[in-house]
Each structure stands twice: as structure tokens, then as C-alpha cells.
């Protein structure tokens, strides 16, 4: 019965959407209706309203599950990216309504007028910039159709070529960041990654019997900045392919894309018009993306920057030709430059205002911020009064944002209902039975997304399909794909779908604004070459995931917010890099270790002397342990070709058997209810089905080779040897490098001890006469300075003992004096050995640390050195083959 209600859910949704009923109401409505009917039938036929829900729970549980899921995502750290949606919509609409885009197109057309196909190339470039500002297919296609199509036709461009360029360029808003599609995908993929990790851990537990899965096998989540950077290269590849196609057509068939006639605009005026039209929007896009990528601003803050910048640009464009048109813009620029200068020369943190100079900096920053706010208000007032620009933009932003959030809320209700009726398990079972493994599943999913693009907008596809299929694809370890790559591929497929006749949305939008002289067949003929280019881009990005994953990884690893080098996902690639360095510079590193062993450690206390000796020995062992890693890797690589096909076949058989086990469990429940809530006839059918499924399960498991256990045990032993070698190496290099770093810090902080000793000596003198309460306060002050001096835990303990003695009900001055004397003795002892070690030994240790920091000490660095980050990023960007571990 659950399957019946699942089909009912899908049919009701399809009928509602097909009839033109608003998606914001059709999606949650179909969920509410299907859940309500299931609950009613459960009460009517089984006396239990949750009888027809696979996982139990009444209708209220499944209806509220969607809302709670949506609220939980929105309140999470990653969920606040949704706030950026209205800001980016506002930015795009403001630039479109204020005719900044029109100026940009006209200026670019004049710039390329002397080149064959130059007008078409300028339309592609301008369309790409518009896509980066609007992120909405309809807005870009309509804008480009109204502005550029008449111009192209007037300059004798072929109708199919002109319409194809505009329709294809308009769909770039799906993939070129910042895109609304990408933002929604980030939101959906964040949840999908969590579910995928849970599924992958369960699979690892079943396959290996281990309770925990190594975190380096996790599916890693994706942020908005990473998604934007991941989509950037594929977007630029598409732009490049479009330009090459137009240039090729113009070269081979000049009559289809002729040059534009010359006008009377001189070079200087043309240059100024291009600068005024191109630089502001390009600068705005770079500011928005750059602030996200560099970590200067969050996605929400970058959206606010974009909205504010678009308003200022609209302020001077709407006032074009009038006196003082650029006044608010110049005020904004001056304010921004003043803020930059102030931040370079003053500390404007309110918590760090200590001097009159700090007050001056704070006042200047407030004045500059007020000037910037004034320029924004000034521009906003212009947009409010001229052509009702602000009213239009606000209304359209409100409509679009409301639609997005209403669909998001409805979609999580639909997804909850889909899971409640067992749809997720059904889809997972269907995909896992497809031939071709992961790539067979992936192809079918992309085909479904492509077909849905004929009938649904990108929002509906993203929020309905992605939560169902993304966890299944991401959890599969056979391909070990990255979430950012899956998101970009989905965006590319949706983009291709919107361009494909006869149902592509972009074609409908263009048909609505094209003149009567342009036939629908012309539009269809024009987009065919661009569809081929889209498919080529899809194949390239699908075959080379690094096109998507490399840039986000490189930017992340070179940023100030880079993860520490001990992060599990980096270890495999770091070890590959270090192995290469050992091969190239092994003799140099060994020589540095030998020189370190010859250092005179006599000045060190016995504890540190023993630690250093052990650290040098550990450093020498790193070469042998790395050799063990490479030897075990070679053993795995040698055994894998024979083992992998058997492994894949057996795991498939086991998955099929587990699917049957789930159905058997349901049938056994039905049989157990015979004579109560289930009729005898239904129970007998269940028994017959049980017999059939049991026989099928036995047949499937009979296909498992008889020597499978021995094969698996032997290969698992080789893998265990590799994992053991990696753990031993990581432990060894940590113990080789960290003590050296700690000792250098200890010796270096010796310069701080004389000043501390003076304060402590003064405290000792005061301990004989000052009141206990005053002494406690002074001890607190002196003790607080110890946090800046490494290796002073014993001194800290002695001061704490003195403080406790003075804070007792009966203050013990003698005990306090004894504790202070102990602290002073420790300080003097530390001063002696640290000063003695501060010469040749300290210099030698620093030289040694520098020699091994990029290899043996790489795992202990706070961040990867920038010179290494590019190499490691290239390795991390390529999917690691981990299927044989599952």
C-alpha cells in the first residue's frame, strides 16, 4: 500500500503542476493530500493512522518533519546563505531596470564593430556579465532579447545565429557566479552531504565490521564560496566555446555575421564610453566574488555589497546627462578610499580605544561611514523618484524571493512525504540495480534532471530532486565524487535543458520578445550548435572533475582560513608530496638531521635533552616509514586488478541481498498480523512471496565465489598494512617536529623572564608586609603575564598555591612566601638554562626546523605554505579511489 500512496503523491504533484497550478502551492499541497489520504485509509482499513507509513509515525509527524527540517537547516551555520538570495536578486534587477546593461552592450558592440562577428562576441560577453549579476534565466534572456536582437538583425545577422547566441548566453545565469541556482544547490547539498556521510559510514560498518570509518573517507561539504569558484571555470569554458563558435561562423560564412558599419564616434569618446559602461559593473562583480573568495565577507555580506553597489550605479545612470550625475558615486568612492586609509593607519576596534589617537581614528571612520551611507541614500532617492525604479525592483525582488522560499518550504514537506512512503529506499534500490555502477546511476539521474527541465523551473528541480538523489550519489564510494562537482554538473544539465527545443524555457522567453519576422523554427535552428557546445562542456567537466574542484581547493588552502595541515582530508596528498620531496632532496634532509644530532645539548635540562634526542631519531625514521607506506601502496596496486572485479561483483550481490532482506522483513510483519489486521488471503500471498524472495536471495548469495572470504581477508590484510604504515608515519613525524618547535619557543621566551623576575621579586618583598587581599590582587596581575611565556606551568602552579594560602579564612603568609620563593627559584633556573641555550643551540635548532618544515614537519604546520598549496590542491581535487575499502 505504501507504493500506492507514493504513486499517488507523484501523480497529484504532476497533475497540479501540469495544470498550471502555482508550484508554491502544488508542491506542499500534494504532500498534505497524500499524507492525509494515507492516514485516513490506515484508520479505515487497519485501525491505525500510521499503518501505511514505512517508518511509522502519524500524519502530523510527517507533515511537521518537513517544517522542522527546513527550520533546522535555516538556523544552521550554512543555512544562512539563503539570506543572500533576495540581495542578489535585487542587484540584478536594479542593474537591469536602470539600463546599465543596455549601455554595456552598446559600448561593447562599438568596441568590437570592426571584427567579423564582433557584435555576436560582444553580446556573449555582455550576457556573461549580466548572468553574473542577475543569475536568473528569464531576466537575462528577456533583457538581451529586447536590447541586442534588434541590433543584430539591423546589422544583417542571420536570424538563427542571432537568436541562438542570445538564448545560449541567457542561460549562463545558471552557472556563472554569483548564481541563485548555485546558492540553492549549496543549501540542498549541505543536507545531502550529512545524509551521504551517514550512509557511507553504515556501508563501511557492514563491509568491514569496524564501528567507525576513517574521517578521510568522509564526503566533504561545500560552501557558497566554493560552489561559486567551482562553477567559475566551467562557466568561462562555455563563454570561450560560444565565442569560438561565433568567430568560426564569421570566418567561414561572413554573410551570417558581418561587421558593423562605422559610426562617427572618435576613438577617445569610444574609449570613455566603454570605460564608463564596462568598469563599474565589472568592478562590482569582482568585489562581490572577491570578498567571498578571500574570506573578507560572508555570502550575505557580499550580497549586501552587490545590492548597494547596484543602487549607486543606478543612481548615476538614471541621472545620465544631467549636472551632478556622478556626485553620489564620487562621494561613495572617496568614502571607500578614506575608510581604506583609516583602516591602514588606525585601530578602530571599539574594545581597543586606549589613546587620543585611537579616538581620532574612530571619529574619522564614523565620518567616512556616514559619507558612504549618505551616497547610498542619495542614489536610492534618485532610483525612488526616477521612473519608479526602486518600487519596481523592490516589488519584483519580493515576488521572486517569496516564490523561492515558499517552494523551499513546500519541497521539504514533499521530501518528507516521499521518505515516509518509502520513496527514498525505492529510488536507492532502483539506482543500485542499474548496470554500469555509479556512472550508470549518475547518467540516469542527469537524464531525469534534463527532462524535468522541460517542465519545471530550476528552483523546483533543485529543491525536489536534489534532496532525493544527491545523498545516494554522494554516498557511493566507487566514484567518491565531491559535492561541489555534483552541484556544478546539475547546474550545467539544467542549463542545457532550458536551451533544448521544444520545451526549453529560454526559447519561450526569447519567443516572447522576438519580432514577428523571427520564426520559432529560426530560434530552434539557432540553439542546436550551442546545445552541442553545452554537451561538449558537460563531457569535459564530467571527465575532468578537477576543472571544478581545483580552484576552490587552491583558494581554500592558500587563504587565511585554510584548514590546518593535520586535517584528515589532506593527509594522503601531503604524504604523496613529502614522498616526492624525500626522493628529490632526501640526502639534504638527512644531512640536516645529522647536523642537528651533533648540536651540543648539554645546556638543556635532562628532560628536554632526552626529548630532543628522541625527536632527532624519529626524524631519521621518517624515511623508513615513508618507504613502508610506498611499499604497501605498491602491494595494494599489484593486488587490486585481480581483486577489484570480484569485490565489485560480491558487493553488488550483497546489496541486492540486503534489498531483499528489507522486503522480507515487511512481508514477515504482514504474516505476523494474519487474522488480526491482515486477512488470511493477504497473509498467504505474503507467505508465497516470502518463499520466492528467500529462494532468490539464496540464488544471489550462491553467486558469491566460495573463496571470497579468503580473497577478502588477504586483500584486507594488505590494506591494513598500508593504514598501519600511514598511522605510524604520522605519529612519528609529529613526535619528530613538535618537540623542536616547543623547545625553540621555550628558549626564545627566555628574554621575557628577566622582566617577570623583577615583578616576582617585588611581589616577594611585598609578601612580608602588605595585606593578604592586596597580595592576592598583585599575584593575579603577575600570574596573568605568564600566558605569554612558554613552559611556565610549574611557576604558574607555585603562584596559584601562594594565592590559595592568602585567600584562606586564616591567611597563611609563611606558606605564601614559601610558594613565592619556589616560583622565584624556578624562574632563576629557567633563566640560566634558557640563556645558555640562546646562542649556537637556538640558531642550530632554527636552521634544523627550517630544513624539515616542508617535509617531516609539514603535518604540524598551522597552514600549508603557499608554495606547496598548489601541488596539494591539485591532488585533493582529483577523486581518490576508496571503493576497495568498502
Amino acid at each position: 500500500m505504501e507504493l500506492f500512496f507514493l504513486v499517488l503523491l507523484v501523480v497529484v504533484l504532476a497533475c497540479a503542476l501540469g495544470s498550471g497550478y502555482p508550484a508554491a502551492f502544488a508542491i506542499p499541497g500534494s504532500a498534505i493530500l497524500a499524507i492525509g489520504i494515507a492516514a485516513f485509509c490506515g484508520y479505515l482499513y487497519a485501525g491505525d493512522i500510521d499503518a501505511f507509513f514505512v517508518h511509522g509515525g502519524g500524519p502530523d509527524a510527517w507533515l511537521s518533519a518537513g517544517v522542522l527540517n527546513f527550520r533546522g537547516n535555516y538556523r544552521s551555520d550554512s543555512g544562512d546563505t539563503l539570506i543572500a538570495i533576495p540581495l542578489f536578486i535585487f542587484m540584478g534587477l536594479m542593474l537591469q531596470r536602470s539600463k546599465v546593461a543596455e549601455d554595456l552592450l552598446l559600448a561593447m558592440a562599438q568596441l568590437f564593430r570592426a571584427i567579423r562577428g564582433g557584435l555576436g562576441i560582444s553580446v556573449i560577453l555582455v550576457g556573461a556579465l549580466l548572468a553574473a549579476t542577475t543569475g536568473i534565466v528569464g531576466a537575462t534572456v528577456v533583457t538581451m532579447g529586447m536590447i541586442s536582437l534588434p541590433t543584430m538583425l539591423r546589422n544583417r545577422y542571420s536570424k538563427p545565429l542571432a537568436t541562438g547566441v542570445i538564448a545560449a548566453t541567457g542561460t549562463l545565469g545558471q552557472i556563472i557566479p554569483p548564481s541563485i541556482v548555485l546558492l540553492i544547490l549549496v543549501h540542498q547539498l549541505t543536507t545531502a552531504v550529512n545524509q551521504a556521510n551517514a550512509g557511507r559510514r553504515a556501508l563501511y560498518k557492514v563491509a568491514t565490521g569496524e564501528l567507525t570509518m576513517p574521517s578521510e573517507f568522509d564526503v566533504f561539504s561545500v560552501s557558497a564560496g566554493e560552489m561559486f569558484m567551482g562553477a567559475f571555470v566551467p562557466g568561462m569554458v562555455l563563454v570561450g566555446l560560444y565565442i569560438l563558435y561565433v568567430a568560426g561562423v564569421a570566418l567561414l560564412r561572413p554573410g551570417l555575421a558581418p561587421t558593423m558599419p562605422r559610426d562617427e564616434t572618435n576613438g577617445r569618446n569610444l574609449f570613455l564610453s566603454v570605460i564608463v559602461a564596462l568598469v563599474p559593473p565589472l568592478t562590482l562583480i569582482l568585489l562581490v566574488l572577491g570578498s567571498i573568495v578571500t574570506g573578507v565577507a560572508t555570502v550575505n555580506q557580499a550580497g549586501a555589497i552587490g545590492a548597494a553597489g547596484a543602487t549607486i550605479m543606478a543612481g548615476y545612470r538614471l541621472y545620465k546627462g544631467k549636472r551632478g550625475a556622478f556626485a553620489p558615486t564620487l562621494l561613495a568612492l572617496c568614502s571607500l578610499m578614506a575608510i581604506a586609509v583609516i583602516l591602514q593607519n588606525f585601530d578602530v576596534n571599539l574594545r581597543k580605544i586606549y589613546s587620543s589617537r585611537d579616538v581620532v581614528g574612530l571619529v574619522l571612520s564614523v565620518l567616512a561611514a556616514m559619507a558612504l551611507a549618505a551616497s547610498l541614500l542619495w542614489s536610492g532617492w534618485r532610483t525612488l523618484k526616477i521612473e519608479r525604479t526602486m518600487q519596481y525592483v523592490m516589488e519584483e525582488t519580493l515576488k521572486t524571493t517569496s516564490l523561492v522560499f515558499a517552494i523551499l518550504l513546500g519541497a521539504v514537506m514533499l521530501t518528507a512525504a516521499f521518505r515516509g512512503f518509502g520513496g527514498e529506499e525505492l529510488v536507492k534500490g532502483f539506482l543500485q540495480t542499474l548496470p554500469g555502477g555509479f556512472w550508470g546511476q549518475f547518467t540516469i539521474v542527469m537524464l531525469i534532471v534534463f527532462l524535468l527541465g522541460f517542465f519545471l523551473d530550476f528552483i523546483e528541480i533543485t529543491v525536489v530532486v536534489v534532496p532525493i538523489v544527491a545523498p545516494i550519489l554522494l554516498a557511493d564510494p566507487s566514484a567518491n565524487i565531491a559535492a561541489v562537482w555534483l552541484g556544478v554538473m546539475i547546474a550545467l544539465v539544467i542549463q542545457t535543458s532550458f536551451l533544448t527545443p521544444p520545451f526549453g524555457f529560454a526559447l519561450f522567453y526569447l519567443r516572447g520578445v522576438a519580432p514577428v519576422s523571427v520564426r520559432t523554427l529560426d530560434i530552434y535552428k539557432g540553439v542546436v550548435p550551442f546545445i552541442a557546445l553545452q554537451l561538449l562542456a558537460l563531457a569535459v567537466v564530467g571527465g575532468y572533475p578537477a576543472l571544478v574542484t581545483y580552484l576552490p581547493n587552491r583558494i581554500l588552502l592558500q587563504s587565511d582560513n585554510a584548514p590546518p595541515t593535520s586535517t584528515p582530508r589532506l593527509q594522503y596528498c601531503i604524504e604523496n608530496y613529502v614522498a616526492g620531496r624525500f626522493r628529490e632532496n632526501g640526502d639534504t634532509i638527512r644531512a640536516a638531521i645529522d647536523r642537528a644530532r651533533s648540536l651540543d645539548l648539554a645546556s638543556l635540562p635532562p628532560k628536554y635533552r632526552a626529548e630532543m634526542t628522541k625527536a632527532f631519531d624519529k626524524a631519521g625514521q621518517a624515511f623508513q616509514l615513508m618507504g613502508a607506506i610506498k611499499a604497501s601502496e605498491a602491494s595494494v596496486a599489484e593486488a587490486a586488478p585481480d581483486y577489484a572485479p570480484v569485490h565489485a561483483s560480491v558487493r553488488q550481490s550483497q546489496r541486492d541481498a540486503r534489498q531483499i532482506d528489507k522486503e522480507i522483513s515487511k512481508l514477515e510483519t504482514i504474516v505476523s498480523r494474519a487474522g488480526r489486521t491482515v486477512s488470511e488471503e493477504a497473509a498467504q500471498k505474503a507467505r508465497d512471496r516470502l518463499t520466492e524472495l528467500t529462494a532468490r536471495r539464496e540464488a544471489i548469495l550462491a553467486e558469491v565465489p566460495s573463496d571470497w572470504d579468503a580473497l577478502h581477508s588477504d586483500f584486507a590484510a594488505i590494506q591494513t598494512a598500508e593504514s598501519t604504515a600511514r598511522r605510524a608515519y604520522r605519529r612519528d613525524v609529529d613526535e619528530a617536529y613538535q618537540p623542536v618547535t616547543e623547545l625553540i619557543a621555550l628558549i626564545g621566551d627566555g628574554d621575557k623572564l628577566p622582566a617577570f623576575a623583577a615583578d616576582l621579586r617585588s611581589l616577594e618583598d611585598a609578601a612580608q608586609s602588605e595585606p593578604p587581599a592586596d597580595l592576592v590582587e598583585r599575584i593575579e596581575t603577575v600570574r596573568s603575564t605568564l600566558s605569554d611565556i612558554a613552559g611556565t606551568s610549574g611557576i604558574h602552579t607555585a603562584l596559584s598555591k601562594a594565592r590559595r594560602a592568602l585567600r584562606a579564612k586564616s591567611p597563611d603568609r609563611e606558606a605564601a612566601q614559601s610558594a613565592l620563593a619556589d616560583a622565584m627559584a624556578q624562574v632563576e633556573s629557567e633563566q640560566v638554562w634558557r640563556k645558555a641555550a640562546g646562542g649556537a643551540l637556538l640558531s642550530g635548532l632554527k636552521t634544523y626546523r627550517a630544513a624539515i618544515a616542508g617535509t617531516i614537519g609539514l603535518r604540524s604546520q598551522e597552514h600549508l605554505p603557499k608554495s606547496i598549496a598548489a601541488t596539494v590542491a591539485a591532488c585533493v581535487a582529483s577523486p581518490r579511489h576508496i571503493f576497495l575499502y568498502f
Side-chain angles (χ1 to χ4, degrees), residues 278-631:
L278 178 62
V279 172
L282 186 59
T283 302
L284 181 62
I285 294 168
L286 292 176
L287 277 175
V288 170
L289 291 180
S291 61
I292 296 173
V293 171
T294 58
V296 173
T298 64
V299 178
N300 302 330
Q301 293 164 346
I305 292 171
T311 302
I312 291 175
M313 289 168 58
Y316 73 72
R317 176 56 184 83
L318 293 171
Y319 223 62
K320 185 177 181 180
K322 298 181 181 179
R323 184 177 180 182
F326 289 95
T329 305
L330 293 175
L331 178 60
L333 291 174
C334 292
S335 302
L336 290 173
M337 288 189 291
I339 290 173
V341 171
I342 292 167
L343 291 176
Q344 287 292 325
N345 294 278
F346 297 93
D347 188 349
V348 294
N349 190 332
L350 288 174
R351 297 181 179 180
K352 297 182 179 180
I353 304 299
Y354 301 122
S355 64
S356 58
R357 187 176 185 276
D358 295 333
V359 174
V360 170
L362 180 62
V363 171
L364 291 176
S365 64
V366 169
L367 292 175
M370 290 175 63
L372 181 60
S375 69
L376 184 59
L377 290 173
W378 192 351
S379 299
W381 178 257
R382 288 181 174 182
T383 63
L384 187 65
K385 289 299 180 182
I386 301 175
E387 299 179 6
R388 291 179 50 84
T389 301
M390 182 63 78
Q391 291 92 325
Y392 169 82
V393 171
M394 293 295 287
E395 289 172 3
E396 291 302 313
T397 300
L398 179 61
K399 291 177 184 177
T400 307
T401 304
S402 300
L403 175 66
V404 169
F405 279 86
I407 292 175
L408 280 172
L409 179 58
V412 292
M413 296 177 67
L414 179 72
T415 304
F418 191 80
R419 292 193 176 111
F421 295 132
E424 187 175 34
E425 293 297 326
L426 190 66
V427 171
K428 185 176 180 180
F430 166 72
L431 290 177
Q432 289 180 343
T433 57
L434 292 173
F438 169 83
W439 292 107
Q441 302 172 24
F442 178 77
T443 302
I444 292 298
V445 168
M446 293 298 106
L447 181 61
I448 292 172
V449 171
F450 177 79
L451 295 176
L452 287 176
F454 291 161
F455 311 103
L456 300 178
D457 197 1
F458 71 88
I459 302 174
E460 289 94 331
I461 296 173
T462 304
V463 301
V464 173
V465 178
V466 173
I468 296 171
V469 300
I472 300 171
L473 296 177
L474 290 172
D476 194 332
S478 60
N480 194 29
I481 61 172
V484 62
W485 178 82
L486 179 61
V488 170
M489 288 296 291
I490 291 173
L492 281 170
V493 170
I494 295 175
Q495 178 185 358
T496 307
S497 178
F498 284 0
L499 195 60
T500 304
F503 302 109
F505 279 98
L507 311 182
F508 294 144
Y509 292 133
L510 184 57
R511 176 69 274 175
V513 297
V516 179
S517 60
V518 176
R519 299 176 302 164
T520 302
L521 186 60
D522 292 330
I523 300 176
Y524 288 176
K525 288 169 60 179
V527 298
V528 169
F530 292 96
I531 295 172
L533 295 177
Q534 288 275 156
L535 295 175
L536 175 61
L538 268 171
V540 171
V541 175
Y544 300 94
L547 286 175
V548 174
T549 54
Y550 174 72
L551 188 58
N553 279 301
R554 177 161 183 175
I555 291 174
L556 174 65
L557 294 180
Q558 290 185 324
S559 70
D560 294 334
N561 299 321
T565 53
S566 57
T567 301
R569 67 179 293 195
L570 302 179
Q571 298 314 300
Y572 177 79
C573 294
I574 285 177
E575 285 154 14
N576 285 345
Y577 169 81
V578 172
R581 298 294 296 169
F582 278 175
R583 287 193 300 270
E584 296 171 5
N585 301 318
D587 293 341
T588 303
I589 299 170
R590 288 188 182 94
I593 297 172
D594 291 338
R595 286 194 299 271
R597 285 195 176 107
S598 65
L599 291 173
D600 184 6
L601 306 179
S603 59
L604 298 179
K607 170 187 174 184
Y608 297 120
R609 196 181 311 146
E611 286 182 356
M612 285 302 98
T613 302
K614 180 180 177 182
F616 298 149
D617 292 340
K618 291 286 184 181
Q621 294 172 11
F623 295 89
Q624 179 183 352
L625 294 174
M626 179 60 75
I629 290 177
K630 290 305 168 183

Side-chain angles (χ1 to χ4, degrees), residues 810-833:
S810 299
D812 190 342
R813 193 180 292 271
E814 290 184 3
Q817 289 175 335
S818 175
L820 290 174
D822 180 27
M824 192 66 213
Q826 292 187 52
V827 170
E828 291 173 348
S829 174
E830 292 288 322
Q831 278 185 283
V832 170
W833 79 259

Side-chain angles (χ1 to χ4, degrees), residues 700-713:
I700 290 173
L701 293 179
E703 296 175 359
V704 175
S706 57
D707 60 345
W708 160 247
D709 289 337
L711 286 173
H712 175 63
S713 178

